[in-house]
Amino acid sequence: MASMSFAVTRFSGLSSKTTLSPDFDHSPRRTSLPPNRVALKISSSTDSEPDLSVTVNGLKMPNPFVIGSGPPATNYTVMKRAFDEGWGGVIAKTVSLDASKVINVTPRYARLRTGSAKTDVIGWQNIELISDRPLETMLKEFKQLKQEYPDRILIASIMEEYSKTGWEELIDRVEQTGVDALEINFSCPHGMPERRMGAAVGQDCALLEEVCGWINAKATVPVWAKMTPNITDITEPARVSLKSGCEGISAINTIMSVMGIDLKTLHPEPCVEGYSTPGGYSYKAVRPIALAKVMNIAQMMKSEFGEKDCSLSGIGGVETGYDAAEFILLGSNTVQVCTGVMVHGYGHVKTLCADLQDFMRQHNFSTIEDFRGHSLQYFTTHTDLVRRQKEAIEQRKAERRGLKSDKDWTGDGFVKETESMVSN
């Protein structure tokens, strides 16, 4: 199961002088482009109400919420529903040239709960593969969607075996349908690694660089590389992808996991004829991990690609608009939702938008760009934290000790200054 990326803007962030409202209520938790491609900048308009619209890589969206690649975008019917409900964009389930090699099993999902209620689900595992529908069928549906919704953003997620001609053919056929951009699935954590697909590419930077070169030499629409979190340093493949011509990064895809063992049957979940296989973990429980990975990528992009148009789409455990605000504060241009749609339905986008606008009103933000990347400035090293705390403690001690010299007395603060030197 996949999700998405988003493209070309700079990490301008906010001024270090900007401060967030102290009374904000946090509950409920809510390189150069190839010559055949054109870089466009992000812009947004201002209105009396907080404006959620973004223009990403020239693609205008009414809001930053995008259906992530996976079951919520697996056919014409569900993608049409997503557009009708008001999602900012849709990334279709990943396609490849030969769908006959894709064979799914059932059951293929398992949930992690903290209780028995539906709302107690905090984690979701899947062992689902990419689209098992014929490529020609998916292409016809892409074309139909673009004809019916010409002003809505449809992104094709693609993945192919280690073959230059195969990638070129897939890109050519997909682009002919009129899709607005491509997301490259370098991150599916399960299924077909022996075919050098998905995370098998995203975990090998040399292989990734070669394949990105093929893709970016062929593509005529924006390209985003979707990152796997199942790697020691996620900034390494992100850096390689951007240097190889990709306009944006999507992060993160699902985390390799074993959901659990049924203590009655002693079999793993999800259980297929008594057996299972490790799969991708998503939903609320992965959000702290996703935020850390997004922060790492955003810092790298800001420091190494600051003068170039690069973008970031945050993915991982987004259930509310307040969750989305955290990803945007860490530099995300857009936010993808996949498992959340499977739990709450397509109409959930209205709640997401309302939550995000509420956050923006509380801080007097008019546009997404007003606060995107703001919180990156507050991350530092542990050594620096120790230094900062030591200096703060010394400052507080100095204030308690009172004035050091007669020259420090002031007229306005005379009474307070006197009290600062009284011992009882």
Side-chain angles (χ1 to χ4, degrees), residues 399-419:
E399 291 173 355
R400 286 197 298 269
R401 282 197 295 266
L403 305 179
K404 295 182 179 180
S405 170
D406 284 349
K407 67 180 176 59
D408 296 328
W409 288 94
T410 66
D412 293 336
F414 193 83
V415 174
K416 184 177 180 180
E417 290 160 357
T418 300
E419 288 296 321

Side-chain angles (χ1 to χ4, degrees), residues 40-305:
L40 299 172
K41 295 183 180 179
I42 286 182
S43 64
S44 57
S45 61
T46 303
D47 201 350
S48 56
E49 279 292 295
D51 181 8
L52 299 183
S53 67
V54 292
T55 301
V56 183
N57 206 65
L59 311 177
K60 297 181 179 180
M61 302 182 192
N63 60 68
F65 296 107
V66 179
I67 294 282
S69 176
T74 194
N75 61 44
Y76 166 84
T77 301
V78 297
M79 288 188 280
K80 180 181 187 300
R81 178 66 181 273
F83 284 142
D84 290 340
E85 291 288 353
W87 288 84
V90 173
I91 304 179
K93 192 173 185 183
T94 303
V95 297
S96 62
L97 287 175
D98 188 358
S100 68
K101 297 179 181 179
V102 182
I103 303 174
N104 277 302
V105 296
T106 300
R108 51 183 176 267
Y109 307 137
R111 294 174 289 200
L112 181 65
R113 300 178 183 270
T114 58
S116 58
K118 179 180 179 180
T119 55
D120 293 333
V121 175
I122 62 169
W124 189 288
Q125 187 203 33
N126 83 89
I127 55 172
E128 185 166 300
L129 304 180
I130 62 175
S131 179
D132 57 10
R133 305 178 72 221
L135 177 61
E136 195 56 44
T137 299
M138 291 292 283
L139 296 180
K140 288 179 181 178
E141 294 184 357
F142 291 169
K143 188 172 183 178
Q144 183 178 358
L145 283 165
K146 286 305 301 178
Q147 288 174 343
E148 296 178 8
Y149 298 88
D151 60 339
R152 306 306 296 277
I153 302 307
L154 177 62
I155 314 293
S157 173
I158 62 174
M159 184 167 78
E160 190 45 57
E161 297 185 41
Y162 179 68
S163 164
K164 181 180 180 181
T165 56
W167 276 105
E168 290 174 340
E169 178 185 351
L170 180 59
I171 291 169
D172 183 56
R173 294 178 67 183
V174 169
E175 284 194 358
Q176 287 182 35
T177 67
V179 297
D180 300 286
L182 302 174
E183 180 178 86
I184 314 302
N185 188 341
F186 289 135
S187 49
C188 185
H190 50 269
M192 303 178 289
E194 70 281 356
R195 293 168 60 190
R196 303 179 86 175
M197 300 175 75
V201 179
Q203 293 169 331
D204 184 333
C205 285
L207 185 59
L208 178 66
E209 182 176 17
E210 182 179 19
V211 175
C212 275
W214 299 341
I215 293 168
N216 288 300
K218 180 66 176 178
T220 62
V221 296
V223 174
W224 298 275
K226 187 173 183 181
M227 297 290 100
T228 173
N230 305 302
I231 191 168
T232 302
D233 183 357
I234 198 170
T235 65
E236 293 183 0
R239 180 183 295 107
V240 167
S241 299
L242 293 172
K243 286 185 175 180
S244 299
C246 294
E247 287 88 347
I249 298 295
S250 301
I252 60 173
N253 206 325
T254 52
I255 301 170
M256 184 66 83
S257 65
V258 171
M259 181 53 75
I261 305 297
D262 186 320
L263 296 182
K264 293 180 180 179
T265 66
L266 309 186
H267 292 285
E269 298 288 356
C271 190
V272 180
E273 311 301 336
Y275 293 83
S276 191
T277 188
Y281 189 51
S282 61
Y283 204 38
K284 292 186 285 189
V286 311
R287 189 171 62 250
I289 298 171
L291 287 170
K293 299 294 185 181
V294 166
M295 181 270 291
N296 291 152
I297 294 171
Q299 288 184 325
M300 180 275 293
M301 292 171 69
K302 185 177 181 180
S303 64
E304 299 181 27
F305 297 86

